Amino acid sequence: MKSYLSLIPISAKVRKRQNRMTLLCIIISVLLVTTIFSMADMAIRMETIRAIEEHGNWHIMLKEPSAQQIEQISRRTDVVASSRYDGLNFDLSQDYTIHGKSCVIAGADAAILTNIYDDLTEGHFPVKENEILLSNRAKELLPLNIGDMITIHTPAGDFGYTISGFGGDVTISSDADIVGAFLNWDSFLALSQSVGNPIRPVCFVRFVDHINIRRVIAGLRQTDGFTDETLSENTALLGLTGFSSDSYVMGMYLVAGILFVLVLAAGIFMIAGSLNSRTAERTQFFGMLRCIGASRAQIMHIVRLEALYWCKTAVPVGVGLGIMITWLLCALLRFGVGAEFTQIPLLGVSMVGIISGIVVGVLTVLLSSISPARRAAGVSPVAAVTGNLAEKGNAFRPIRRNFLKIETTLGIHHAVSSPKNLLLMTGSFALSIIMILSFSVLVQWVHMAANPLKPWAPDVFYASADNLCEIEKSFAEEVESHPYVKRVFGRMYQSIPAEYEGKSGQIDLISYEDQQFRWAEEDLIAGDISTVMEGNGVLTVFDKSNSLKVGDTIRLDHEELTVAGVLKDSPFDTSEQPTVICSEKTFRKVTGKDAYAILDVQLSKGATTQNVNKLHVLAEGQYRFYDRLAQNKDTQNTYYMFCLFVYGFLAVVTLITIIHTVNSISMSVSSRIRQYGAMRAVGMDGLQIKKMIRVEAAAYTVLGLLAGCGLGLPLHYFLYTRMITNYWGTAWQIPFTSIGGILVLLVFTSVLAPFAPAKRICNMAVSETINEL
């Protein structure tokens, strides 16, 4: 043996079985970090592709810029592309048609479908004055090809164009019976002048990659005079690169950082507990090394290198398993969910995940070995020779027996006798509780953000052409008569002027029938629905721009409406004007109308595409028809998959809690193994030993629960308000369900954790226990 360090591989072989738990702890920590970072990297890649496809590859949008400002922007060296953009008939309120189909007409520069949106399917962007590009939806609905002549019917007359290509579906909804069209900017200006439409263009700007967008935006506001009203950001794309100024996105980065720190801390505590346990079992061995000349520094060096020696096996295994789990999860998302995750890399390798796993694994082991190394180096040669390795500290008086049995009293004494050990043990339990409470918020966030299929979600629906109340109730009865239709429910709608909160504006008044009110009860966060169902009062939907609350009055021309309840969610898209929900009776009283603007249809489980086509035929061009059947299935699959991931991750956190608890109890018992041997020598039986250890574990559990809830509940409140309340308006409540689950878990773990060390002590001879090296 050349040095004491030569003992490390020998010790690893001799104690191979005892070291399995430590190796398992390191592997779990590395696997967890590698998987988290790899999946985050895959998700960012996927979301970046999706954000570009859905929102465009642009960073800022300038509202109604001057020609000079557009020229200055296009000349910047850090600008990849820019394009002007405006449109006609976006609200489908005017008579613009192509071959009898309602159409939306957009005008832009050529970069819009090549550098801003990658949405040119075939042909080329219109170059000549008489050329037009139609959407892919137009090709599906109409028998048209490149080179065909078409006529656009407008309120100012007919205009003829030649089809130059297909693409540009960004202008329309893919499930609508609508045609989209693109003209070059000059042709669009000419058409707008002909129909008398004022031009209010926007300009999309895309910058080069890997620049500080925040600094560029600040410069544009300072030098070119752009304000928050005239300069908008592509929040979806900038959020993925970390440059978004959106408060919710930045708040989510803060939340992610807090959760990562908790995972890292759990890994450190778990590995440190395992190392401490192994060190406590070999305290006399390290003392004997001191006897033969090893210094304190050498002992500390041995413990640290021993921990790194385990990394040689555990880190590669953890990284490899992390990569394979990432591949498995990506495959589940891509093939198990479908359309929502078609862009996720299938066999992608994330260098961020691999490097993070290696660095965090090694760093965690080094940090975790500090305390065990100091503990091992603190054993004196005299203590090792005499066998007096009991915990330090003087007993100022004997332990007095009170109304509790002696084993119960000793268990409590062992738990509280060492303030440092009590702090570490309580802290480890508290950290586990804090982790579970924190990640339980993530579960609730998934229920909100992944948006499980709501009970009111329609499979298909009809809409009147101009959002007017034109769908007769007789038509609803005709649709409901089909055997494959499960439920039909409609809503009346009208935007009307009103006075509320001391100001004048518009409100969106929408009617509900009884079934929709019953669904709305689940989303009620304030007030009462029953009075609204009876025709007294209205509901409103929480939104950052809507500050209406229970008791507020909305004044109309001839009526006053009182807000009786606030909902956290609804089937409607948010807008700048409040959404107000009333009964059909109230709607008829206020507006005098008794027909639906929207008619939702839910189908039975066995409904087929042919059934959907039959419902489409019923519209007969009178109403717009939307098919959401396939989209609903994808949404439901996505929700289930997200739940699988989140609950799976919570299960891993729970596993860490169990392993950490078992290690902590085992470490505490191992440090007093000679005390237990002495107690057995003076007559204490095995049942008393087991009870004493269980009482000690129970004391740690109770104190840990109090400390964990005391620190975890404020953190739970902070994360909940950041992730949920600030976005959906749901008020925070004490998570009694999570606390109850934590209590059951800790009781279960604290009862089982002492089993192995107590059995080990009881199976050892008294002399062996006292003289164990």
Side-chain angles (χ1 to χ4, degrees):
M1 184 176 72
K2 295 182 180 179
S3 69
Y4 297 119
L5 300 181
S6 302
L7 293 171
I8 293 176
I10 298 173
S11 176
K13 290 180 181 179
V14 173
R15 294 181 170 269
K16 190 174 183 179
R17 183 181 63 83
Q18 294 91 332
N19 293 336
R20 286 176 184 170
M21 182 58 75
T22 303
L23 286 170
L24 179 62
C25 291
I26 299 173
I27 288 172
I28 290 176
S29 296
V30 174
L31 179 153
L32 198 59
V33 172
T34 302
T35 304
I36 290 173
F37 275 86
S38 295
M39 285 304 297
D41 189 16
M42 298 301 121
I44 288 175
R45 296 183 195 181
M46 178 192 70
E47 289 298 334
T48 300
I49 296 172
R50 181 185 296 170
I52 291 174
E53 289 180 353
E54 294 182 359
H55 304 285
N57 194 5
W58 54 273
H59 298 104
I60 63 172
M61 180 180 69
L62 308 177
K63 298 178 182 178
E64 299 187 36
S66 65
Q68 182 180 2
Q69 288 174 325
I70 294 175
E71 181 68 20
Q72 290 175 345
I73 288 290
S74 63
R75 288 181 178 179
R76 290 178 62 104
T77 57
D78 54 0
V79 170
V80 173
S82 63
S83 174
R84 294 163 291 185
Y85 183 80
D86 199 1
L88 298 172
N89 199 34
F90 276 158
D91 58 359
L92 300 175
S93 61
Q94 296 177 290
D95 186 20
Y96 286 81
T97 60
I98 297 177
H99 285 225
K101 298 289 184 182
S102 295
C103 71
V104 173
I105 303 173
D109 297 313
I112 193 72
L113 296 184
T114 53
N115 292 322
I116 305 298
Y117 290 91
D118 185 12
D119 200 18
L120 183 61
T121 306
E122 58 178 303
H124 63 269
F125 191 82
V127 177
K128 299 177 181 179
E129 185 178 348
N130 66 334
E131 287 185 335
I132 192 169
L133 181 140
L134 297 183
S135 63
N136 294 315
R137 183 68 172 163
K139 191 173 184 179
E140 295 174 6
L141 297 173
L142 303 172
L144 297 173
N145 295 294
I146 294 177
D148 291 349
M149 294 289 296
I150 63 165
T151 299
I152 298 181
H153 174 74
T154 75
D158 295 341
F159 296 84
Y161 295 94
T162 301
I163 299 175
S164 67
F166 290 97
D169 280 330
V170 295
T171 58
I172 61 168
S173 174
S174 60
D175 58 0
D177 233 359
I178 304 168
V179 175
F182 266 99
L183 299 172
N184 65 47
W185 189 249
D186 293 335
S187 299
F188 178 78
L189 289 178
L191 178 62
S192 298
Q193 290 174 0
S194 299
V195 299
N197 187 77
I199 300 297
R200 294 186 177 90
V202 297
C203 181
F204 294 107
V205 182
R206 174 186 171 187
F207 294 98
V208 297
D209 296 333
H210 311 302
I211 68 166
N212 190 330
I213 303 294
R214 294 255 53 81
R215 187 178 301 170
V216 173
I217 293 175
L220 287 173
R221 287 175 173 165
Q222 183 177 2
T223 58
D224 293 7
F226 290 107
T227 64
D228 292 339
E229 289 73 27
T230 58
L231 188 152
S232 300
E233 302 174 9
N234 188 345
T235 306
L237 187 58
L238 292 182
L240 293 167
T241 58
F243 288 112
S244 175
S245 61
D246 184 83
S247 59
Y248 185 75
V249 173
M250 299 310 294
M252 293 300 287
Y253 278 118
L254 175 61
V255 169
I258 292 173
L259 295 180
F260 170 71
V261 170
L262 287 177
V263 171
L264 182 61
I268 293 175
F269 267 85
M270 183 173 62
I271 296 174
S274 182
L275 293 177
N276 268 315
S277 179
R278 299 284 79 79
T279 303
E281 293 175 358
R282 302 167 61 208
T283 301
Q284 197 164 7
F285 166 74
F286 292 118
M288 289 302 180
L289 288 181
R290 294 290 309 280
C291 289
I292 60 175
S295 65
R296 289 172 57 90
Q298 287 175 314
I299 296 297
M300 293 180 70
H301 202 40
I302 288 175
V303 175
R304 288 170 180 165
L305 288 181
E306 202 170 45
L308 289 176
Y309 184 83
W310 291 324
C311 287
K312 184 180 68 174
T313 302
V315 170
V317 171
V319 169
L321 289 175
I323 293 173
M324 286 190 286
I325 290 176
T326 301
W327 289 349
L328 175 62
L329 295 178
C330 289
L332 284 174
L333 287 173
R334 187 162 181 174
F335 300 112
V337 177
E340 290 288 328
F341 293 91
T342 53
Q343 300 95 340
I344 195 167
L346 192 56
L347 295 176
V349 176
S350 171
M351 293 307 298
V352 174
I354 294 174
I355 294 173
S356 299
I358 294 173
V359 171
V360 172
V362 175
L363 182 63
T364 301
V365 168
L366 286 175
L367 292 175
S368 302
S369 65
I370 294 175
S371 178
R374 289 176 178 172
R375 182 171 182 171
V379 180
S380 68
V382 176
V385 172
T386 59
N388 183 21
L389 299 172
E391 55 184 308
K392 296 180 181 180
N394 297 321
F396 294 98
R397 60 178 174 82
I399 299 173
R400 293 181 181 177
R401 181 177 179 180
N402 47 31
F403 63 92
L404 299 174
K405 293 184 178 181
I406 186 63
E407 60 268 23
T408 303
T409 304
L410 283 171
I412 296 174
H413 171 73
H414 286 165
V416 301
S417 59
S418 172
K420 180 179 179 181
N421 183 68
L422 178 64
L423 179 63
L424 290 175
M425 294 292 290
T426 303
S428 64
F429 277 86
L431 178 63
S432 300
I433 295 169
I434 291 170
M435 282 189 64
I436 294 177
L437 282 175
S438 299
F439 281 99
S440 68
V441 179
L442 189 60
V443 174
Q444 294 169 289
W445 181 83
V446 165
H447 281 278
M448 303 289 287
N451 207 9
L453 202 59
K454 298 294 185 181
W456 63 69
D459 294 312
V460 301
F461 68 93
Y462 301 89
S464 61
D466 300 315
N467 293 324
L468 301 176
C469 297
E470 297 176 342
I471 303 177
E472 299 297 333
K473 291 188 176 181
S474 58
F475 179 77
E477 294 172 357
E478 180 184 358
V479 172
E480 195 170 18
S481 65
H482 290 79
Y484 45 82
V485 173
K486 178 181 179 182
R487 184 182 291 114
V488 174
F489 48 96
R491 292 187 297 277
M492 307 174 194
Y493 165 81
Q494 187 166 333
S495 178
I496 56 179
E499 292 184 7
Y500 52 92
E501 297 182 315
K503 60 183 179 182
S504 299
Q506 297 285 122
I507 63 169
D508 289 333
L509 187 65
I510 301 171
S511 74
Y512 269 9
E513 42 81 50
D514 290 345
Q515 180 60 59
Q516 295 175 81
F517 276 122
R518 285 193 288 271
W519 287 329
E521 284 181 337
E522 300 179 4
D523 295 313
L524 186 70
I525 57 177
D528 182 26
I529 279 185
S530 59
T531 58
V532 183
M533 295 177 66
E534 296 168 359
N536 301 315
V538 295
L539 301 174
T540 188
V541 182
F542 174 85
D543 183 69
K544 291 181 179 179
S545 60
N546 179 14
S547 56
L548 286 172
K549 56 187 180 297
V550 174
D552 286 353
T553 300
I554 303 172
R555 294 178 177 82
L556 308 179
D557 289 341
H558 305 290
E559 295 287 339
E560 284 192 358
L561 304 176
T562 302
V563 178
V566 179
L567 304 177
K568 67 180 179 182
D569 196 11
S570 74
F572 323 116
D573 294 331
T574 57
S575 63
E576 295 181 356
Q577 53 198 49
T579 297
V580 177
I581 298 169
C582 65
S583 66
E584 293 186 352
K585 175 183 176 182
T586 302
F587 192 93
R588 286 193 297 268
K589 181 180 178 182
V590 171
T591 66
K593 298 179 180 179
D594 194 26
Y596 297 126
I598 297 289
L599 186 68
D600 289 338
V601 182
Q602 292 181 339
L603 305 178
S604 59
K605 290 185 178 179
T608 63
T609 304
Q610 289 75 16
N611 299 144
V612 174
N613 292 336
K614 289 181 181 179
L615 292 177
H616 190 180
V617 172
L618 290 179
E620 295 180 350
Q622 185 178 3
Y623 310 122
R624 295 202 298 270
F625 181 81
Y626 298 83
D627 177 11
R628 296 283 175 84
L629 188 60
Q631 180 180 330
N632 286 347
K633 291 180 180 178
D634 287 338
T635 300
Q636 196 73 344
N637 289 339
T638 302
Y639 171 70
Y640 288 144
M641 194 61 64
F642 266 114
C643 285
L644 175 65
F645 287 164
V646 173
Y647 281 110
F649 189 74
L650 196 59
V652 173
V653 172
T654 304
L655 177 63
I656 291 175
T657 300
I658 294 173
I659 292 175
H660 186 42
T661 303
V662 170
N663 272 340
S664 299
I665 300 298
S666 177
M667 180 182 66
S668 180
V669 171
S670 298
S671 65
R672 294 190 178 91
I673 193 167
R674 289 160 192 81
Q675 292 184 29
Y676 297 131
M679 291 174 190
R680 292 190 63 202
V682 296
M684 185 174 280
D685 60 29
L687 291 176
Q688 288 177 306
I689 291 289
K690 292 177 182 178
K691 184 177 180 180
M692 184 168 53
I693 297 174
R694 288 196 182 103
V695 170
E696 181 182 353
Y700 293 136
T701 301
V702 172
L703 294 174
L705 182 64
L706 294 175
C709 290
L711 296 173
L713 287 177
L715 182 58
H716 184 278
Y717 171 79
F718 173 79
L719 296 176
Y720 193 96
T721 52
R722 283 274 182 172
M723 298 176 67
I724 298 175
T725 304
N726 289 349
Y727 197 80
W728 287 283
T730 306
W732 178 82
Q733 295 178 339
I734 297 176
F736 290 109
T737 303
S738 298
I739 294 174
I742 290 170
L743 182 60
V744 171
L745 174 65
L746 290 182
V747 169
F748 175 77
T749 307
S750 61
V751 169
L752 293 183
F755 180 78
K759 183 179 179 181
R760 186 173 71 246
I761 291 173
C762 293
N763 289 340
M764 295 174 69
V766 174
S767 58
E768 183 185 1
T769 307
I770 296 174
N771 296 310
E772 192 262 355
L773 291 177

